[in-house]
Amino acid sequence: MNRKSSKRVFSGKKVIPYLMAGDPDLETTRKLLKAARSEGVWAVELGVPFSDPTADGPVIQEAARRSLAPSTTLRNLLSWLEGVPSDERPPVYLMTYFNLFLSIGLDQFVALAQRAGGIRGAVIPDLSFEDAGFVRRIFHAGGMSLIPFVAPTTSDGRMKRIVARSEDFIYLVSLLGTTGKELSETGTVSRLVSRIRLLTDSPVCVGFGIQSPDVASKVLGVADGVIVGSRLVREETDPDRWQSLLAAFCDAARSAPSLTTAGV
Amino acid sequence: MRGNDKVDAPVFRRPSSLPDKRGYFGEFGGRYVSESLIEALYELETAFRLAWKDKSFHREMEEVYRDYVGRPTPLYCATALSDKVGGARIYLKREDLNHTGAHKINNTVGQALLARRMGKKRLIAETGAGQHGVATATVAARYGFECDVYMGSEDVRRQSLNVFRMNLLGTTVRPVDQGTRTLKDAISEALRDWSQSVMTTHYVLGTAFGPHPFPLMVRSFQSVIGREARKQILAKEGRLPDALVACVGGGSNAMGLFYPFLSDLDCALYGVEAGGRSLNPGEHAARFQTGKVGVLQGSRTYVLQDRDGQIEKTHSVSAGLDYSAVGPELAYYHDTGRIAFSSVGDEEAMEAFEMLCRSEGILPALESAHAIAWTIRLARQLGPSRVVVANLSGRGDKDVMEVARIKGVTFS
């Protein structure tokens, strides 16, 4: 692997790999975090397995199943992260379903996340903007971000309200459906990004459908970042293959044209 | 026994004021689904509220209820059962006599008429035992919708006859091979389908559960049960019943019967959950006994879960009660004390099943047998001169093979 790439700037483009914690074990997760760090990714989305992942397609469902077997709980994971030195992992956004946060208790979650360090926030796919008010307040009080979603079906009125809150980035769902589908054309994404840009300066990262570095590169022509989920999850039991694939996504990001709105 | 034990408990708000604008019954409910679906839920809510205010919508629905579904269903005074039990007079609301054999069709008719108004071309649904799947396939055939029904592969195996029935009606049954391969996984898969097909497809959720406005909508369509029962008992007894009983899976037959009685504080309301084999984790579906408040499949409510927040497996002899969460409106009335909840185990439900067969010549669904079992206990306790209404939510034809299996009967 090309280690020299680690400190190179991505022309402001963000690559955020999603990985399922504990798939197939935490030792592998540790290797992947380290690899992601050395590739210089902007952050990782660290998935926590949930028994009933309604927003996920087959690839991530399968990963969750592999990971659930040795019982990777949110609580265990937070204390495990505490033991991973911060120079061996990129900044982390935890990604899982709302019941797991409720089960620990939101205040307790924030306290544990602060203790673990390097956890910037959370991505909660089944927590709608309307239901999230008190969660946002607790997260913000603890210095954490609750990443807002925008989808192709989001109306202008709601989009305005959703992006009005300043968070680390906006998660733009590129296509309808679950994770693991292929984004075939970027016209819709481009229109969505333009609509968001009219309303906010927050970076827009696109997830769902980023199945190849080629797609990533096209999407990064208009957006600030990509979240790569299922395509990488398919390789995550083999850290070397995972890292070389991630490197290809990072190369795509480096060669993407820089945008005036981009920040690192 | 007059009223409920805990009727004086906190906030009891006017039932029609709930859910609030955000889809909450107190702290329960909400719209806990992915962003892709939220606008569709708003669209559905608007369409539903408009239709519900529209006389022509009700006229059409009433006509379909009368001529196609077979409503009103009788309120039957089960004298033979009452005599055998030796206590209160037991009335049965005969939802089992509906077209397709259960209360489920009240809701699918309403949602199909709504989907047609919204210009949707396709229906999807989840089903456990197959009753809601059959009821959806039926209205899809009648109104010309394309239809896919998600069903856990374990349930497909157990209920092969209902699968074939849906096929006959022109519906595609899609077996779900994820998780526990039962109702819960079928709902997840239906939600996944819907998040992709939301522009053209209406999701006919089968129970008073899921994201707002489903609990409101399903309760509204099912409340025809309680409205009829109220009129019928007043005609027969000249007064309201002392108690009403319904089994509780997601909660559609219970909310349907109870809703028009919620403000009659002298009518005690009893919801009966599946006690399964025991109250140990994974052996029952008694959410109010051992569940805690969480979020599952769109709703904040009581959920059976382990201490880490993973959803627990459930068990019941009746597939329709075999689910890890419960409707948010019922959760609210549980906490306010307006509805008392209890559970009945597999064995007691089986005994009630047989007792109703032998005494009245009525074969109840195993789900409804849970309500009958509790009604028997209650009637004894109340004694003569009292009146109890139980919801006989479905007929037991679908369960005959399962009952035979339990009794060790094999057919050649």
Side-chain angles (χ1 to χ4, degrees), chain A residues 130-146:
Chain A
E130 285 82 345
D131 291 316
F134 77 104
V135 185
R136 248 188 321 263
R137 282 193 291 280
I138 294 172
F139 275 33
H140 289 178
M144 287 172 60
S145 191
L146 179 64

Side-chain angles (χ1 to χ4, degrees), chain B residues 134-153:
Chain B
V134 168
T136 306
T138 299
V139 296
R142 172 64 186 77
Y143 294 103
F145 289 101
E146 196 188 319
C147 183
D148 292 283
V149 170
Y150 289 93
M151 191 170 181
S153 55

Side-chain angles (χ1 to χ4, degrees), chain B residues 277-290:
Chain B
R277 282 187 287 263
S278 79
L279 289 183
N280 295 329
E283 301 212 318
H284 67 92
R287 289 71 42 108
F288 290 121
Q289 309 278 326
T290 69

Side-chain angles (χ1 to χ4, degrees), chain B residues 88-334:
Chain B
R89 213 153 37 250
I90 299 170
Y91 281 87
L92 303 176
K93 182 60 176 161
R94 297 292 306 273
E95 291 300 300
D96 60 319
L97 296 178
N98 281 326
H99 181 39
T100 73
H103 72 291
K104 291 292 180 190
I105 193 138
N106 302 331
N107 171 46
T108 60
V109 163
Q111 289 202 40
L113 294 177
L114 193 61
R116 201 180 56 178
R117 278 168 84 103
M118 294 172 74
K120 304 287 181 185
K121 304 284 176 232
R122 175 173 171 257
L123 302 181
I124 54 170
E126 82 294 343
T127 196
Q131 291 307 98
H132 174 59
V134 168
T136 306
T138 299
V139 296
R142 172 64 186 77
Y143 294 103
F145 289 101
E146 196 188 319
C147 183
D148 292 283
V149 170
Y150 289 93
M151 191 170 181
S153 55
E154 181 60 21
D155 290 334
V156 167
R157 189 189 58 76
R158 287 192 290 201
Q159 301 284 342
S160 51
L161 219 55
N162 267 341
V163 174
F164 184 58
R165 228 171 132 193
M166 286 183 264
N167 290 339
L168 288 175
L169 291 160
T171 281
T172 308
V173 176
R174 303 192 177 276
V176 178
D177 238 343
Q178 324 288 351
T180 54
R181 301 178 174 86
T182 57
L183 178 61
K184 173 168 74 75
D185 311 286
I187 294 178
S188 287
E189 206 54 30
L191 283 170
R192 290 183 189 114
D193 179 317
W194 202 34
S195 67
Q196 185 177 344
S197 60
V198 62
M199 314 294 261
T200 56
T201 297
H202 174 65
Y203 177 18
V204 187
L205 214 149
T207 189
F209 187 68
H212 180 60
F214 283 107
L216 162 69
M217 210 164 69
V218 176
R219 173 256 271 170
S220 302
F221 289 136
Q222 291 293 1
S223 61
V224 66
I225 303 172
R227 283 198 307 276
E228 286 177 7
R230 206 166 188 287
K231 261 188 238 161
Q232 290 165 321
I233 198 72
L234 285 172
K236 284 177 196 280
E237 289 283 340
R239 67 178 184 97
L240 292 175
D242 297 285
L244 295 111
V245 184
C247 64
V248 178
S252 70
N253 92 83
M255 274 320 300
L257 177 67
F258 294 162
Y259 184 71
F261 292 92
L262 283 169
S263 300
D264 302 309
L265 297 183
D266 284 342
C267 300
L269 306 175
Y270 295 94
V272 186
E273 300 184 284
R277 282 187 287 263
S278 79
L279 289 183
N280 295 329
E283 301 212 318
H284 67 92
R287 289 71 42 108
F288 290 121
Q289 309 278 326
T290 69
K292 63 174 188 166
V293 177
V295 164
L296 182 65
Q297 296 174 331
S299 208
R300 183 181 170 106
T301 182
Y302 283 84
V303 180
L304 289 171
Q305 52 185 310
D306 67 17
R307 62 192 175 89
D308 298 314
Q310 306 294 346
I311 307 308
E312 256 166 21
K313 290 192 175 104
T314 51
H315 161 80
S316 169
V317 67
S318 67
L321 304 183
D322 197 353
Y323 182 60
S324 334
V326 65
E329 192 166 14
L330 288 169
Y332 172 75
Y333 290 118
H334 168 268

Side-chain angles (χ1 to χ4, degrees), chain A residues 167-234:
Chain A
E167 303 283 2
D168 292 0
F169 65 92
I170 291 157
Y171 192 128
L172 174 58
V173 177
S174 73
L175 41 79
L176 295 178
T178 52
T179 55
K181 301 214 160 18
E182 167 116 37
L183 183 65
S184 51
E185 54 94 36
T186 49
T188 316
V189 171
S190 170
R191 279 189 295 278
L192 281 163
V193 174
S194 317
R195 279 170 63 201
I196 298 171
R197 297 252 193 257
L198 291 173
L199 301 168
T200 177
D201 293 334
S202 295
V204 180
C205 297
V206 177
F208 286 47
I210 313 297
Q211 290 287 351
S212 66
D214 192 41
V215 173
S217 151
K218 279 186 195 136
V219 166
L220 287 169
V222 291
D224 303 301
V226 285
I227 298 144
V228 187
S230 300
R231 182 64 196 93
L232 279 169
V233 168
R234 238 182 279 157

